[in-house]
Amino acid sequence: MLTPEAIEAAAARIGGAIYESPLVYSETLTGMAGNAIYLKLENLQITGSFKERGALNRLLTLSDDERRRGVIAASAGNHGQGIAFHAARRGIAAQVWMPLYTPLIKVTATRGYGADVVLEGENYDETYHAALRHGEQTGLTFVHAFNNEDVIAGQGTIGLEMLRSGVQFDAVVVPVGGGGLIGGIGCAIKSRNPNIRVIGVQTARLPSAQAALRRGEPVPVPAAATLADGIAVRQTGSLTFPLLKKYVDEVVTVEEEEIASAILVLLEQEKTLAEGAGAAALAAALAGKIGCSGKRVAVLVSGGNLDVSMLSRIIERGLLRDGRRLRLRIHLPDHPGALQRVAAVIAVNQANIVETLHNRAHYGVSLGETAIDITMETRGQAHVEKLHGALRDAGYRFSQVD
């Protein structure tokens, strides 16, 4: 099993090449979460994720023969970027296999860092098995994303940095996919201060670590699509599972909407960009799922490689959810001046129209009637309710479109 000494050795090995990410206190998030929140910003790494710690540590432990033959990895994106970046700088040929639907930002970055990228498989597990077979056939050394002691030790260096911060934490909250990150951090922290709670967070769509801990062994969970693609792992690793059992106090799950909300909160309140997996730990803290109150809590923002098109959708949905954007389908009589009159009601109530869409043939409208979708900027749920009331008082029939 992984030892604290192995993590210390990894820290000495990679120290000159890995950015020691900042640990920042957030007054705003503290008020929202009911705990003193400190963010460990691993999204600020060169490749945008903590993954390069473990990737580099493994590359630096390769034999001369392994370096000469090159490496292969399967990745949902961030591990592959870490391998590509650090392998290229050490003259090691790297091939990275990724699922077909990996976000473009991660595929492009991995190629840009110098790796040969192969897109194969509907999900990480299919990609992993295909890459493993290809490595065996070609003699390339397979670098596992989480089920490797050198990789786990590299990730555990984050725990050492947290302990060196001087903050007396009561709990550390970490996203969980295959278990390498939390296994390494848990070992680093618990071996020095067993009173610090280590809490794992998974997406509710793929609760593989929860399932493993309940069953007493790693078990596969059904594949599922999730915003948190970086932790979309169907089965906990054979090396990481004993670390979960030994060092992790609890594993909780968060819903997709909670993850999306955490991304938006980080962007708006902290001016920092997190991907789905990177925001999962904060999502649990904001949703009150970490089982503590009034404590000092370190929350890991593990990565920031979020595709801009996905970010746009998250922002749009977040504005709708918070009542800052409203879309109504309003039924109007189909004659001149009808639109002007409903627009006047909206204007008097100080909502700003940003888009309109007429439709006479759909939405179940009768002859002599039209339906119009109006998208508006609003100032929160109270403003939305006020606008609803004004439209009802004016005699309009309408429904909210999400």
Side-chain angles (χ1 to χ4, degrees):
M1 186 179 285
L2 179 72
T3 65
E5 292 73 24
I7 298 173
E8 292 280 5
R13 194 177 291 122
I14 70 176
I18 295 293
Y19 175 55
E20 183 165 341
S21 61
L23 183 72
V24 296
Y25 172 73
S26 171
E27 188 75 39
T28 302
L29 298 181
T30 293
M32 295 173 69
N35 290 291
I37 300 295
Y38 296 80
L39 299 176
K40 178 65 169 168
L41 298 175
E42 282 293 292
N43 57 328
L44 299 181
Q45 292 293 344
I46 293 172
T47 63
S49 162
F50 77 94
K51 283 284 191 178
E52 63 182 79
R53 294 173 180 265
L56 177 57
N57 193 47
R58 179 66 187 104
L59 290 172
L60 293 177
T61 59
L62 293 172
S63 68
D64 290 341
D65 182 57
E66 288 172 329
R67 288 170 60 92
R68 189 165 46 252
R69 285 186 280 122
V71 298
I72 185 171
S75 172
N78 289 335
H79 175 61
Q81 289 179 71
I83 290 288
F85 180 83
H86 290 288
R89 276 144 187 79
R90 286 153 186 81
I92 302 170
Q95 189 175 91
V96 177
W97 289 49
M98 294 176 157
L100 290 168
Y101 305 110
T102 301
L104 180 61
I105 186 176
K106 296 183 178 182
V107 176
T108 302
T110 306
R111 285 189 173 129
Y113 292 138
D116 173 26
V117 175
V118 178
L119 298 178
E120 177 79 21
E122 296 289 321
N123 53 56
Y124 172 80
D125 294 270
E126 291 183 7
T127 305
Y128 163 72
H129 290 296
L132 196 61
R133 287 192 300 269
H134 187 74
E136 292 169 350
Q137 293 165 2
T138 58
L140 299 173
T141 298
F142 189 82
V143 181
H144 202 288
F146 55 85
N147 205 42
N148 176 278
E149 282 203 5
D150 292 323
V151 170
I152 300 169
Q155 323 303 27
T157 60
I158 297 171
L160 296 182
E161 292 177 8
M162 287 179 170
L163 291 171
R164 288 201 303 265
S165 70
V167 179
Q168 301 300 308
F169 296 114
D170 299 297
V172 175
V173 189
V174 183
V176 181
L181 175 62
I182 198 169
I185 290 176
C187 177
I189 287 177
K190 287 283 194 179
S191 61
R192 288 158 180 79
N193 188 343
N195 294 320
I196 297 176
R197 293 186 71 227
V198 176
I199 303 161
V201 182
Q202 293 196 289
T203 166
R205 293 190 176 181
L206 285 142
S208 54
Q210 266 195 348
L213 290 169
R214 287 170 181 162
R215 182 78 169 265
E217 61 181 350
V219 290
V221 297
T226 173
L227 174 59
D229 58 283
I231 53 174
V233 179
R234 292 184 57 208
Q235 184 167 325
T236 303
S238 58
L239 297 181
T240 60
F241 177 67
L243 298 172
L244 290 172
K245 283 178 55 179
K246 185 173 182 179
Y247 296 118
V248 178
D249 294 284
E250 184 182 11
V251 176
V252 301
T253 62
V254 288
E255 301 296 333
E256 297 295 296
E257 285 297 326
E258 291 169 332
I259 296 171
S261 179
I263 292 172
L264 195 56
V265 166
L266 280 168
L267 188 61
E268 276 200 302
Q269 302 299 329
E270 299 301 318
K271 309 303 182 283
T272 191
L273 179 63
E275 60 190 274
L282 180 62
L286 292 177
K289 295 184 174 182
I290 60 174
C292 59
S293 179
K295 303 296 184 180
R296 288 166 300 218
V297 179
V299 175
L300 184 63
V301 181
S302 60
N305 294 314
L306 182 63
D307 187 85
V308 291
S309 61
M310 177 60 72
L311 176 60
S312 175
R313 293 198 293 272
I314 289 169
I315 291 172
E316 182 72 20
R317 289 183 64 173
L319 292 174
L320 288 168
R321 183 181 58 251
D322 295 343
R324 289 182 288 166
R325 181 156 295 199
L326 174 66
R327 186 179 179 189
L328 296 179
R329 182 165 298 154
I330 305 173
H331 291 256
L332 303 173
D334 191 12
H335 58 64
L339 178 57
Q340 181 183 16
R341 282 188 286 275
V342 74
V345 174
I346 293 169
V348 166
N349 286 274
Q350 299 179 321
N352 184 42
I353 296 175
V354 294
E355 184 180 37
T356 62
L357 175 65
H358 268 96
N359 201 308
R360 290 179 172 83
H362 299 281
Y363 307 147
V365 296
S366 60
L367 294 175
E369 186 182 54
T370 186
I372 183 169
D373 285 359
I374 301 181
T375 304
M376 294 160 274
E377 291 175 339
T378 46
R379 299 191 304 276
Q381 293 297 342
H383 189 202
V384 168
E385 292 301 320
K386 178 184 177 184
L387 186 60
H388 284 177
L391 289 168
R392 278 192 292 267
D393 290 344
Y396 290 107
R397 183 164 55 94
F398 63 90
S399 58
Q400 189 160 322
V401 181
D402 295 324

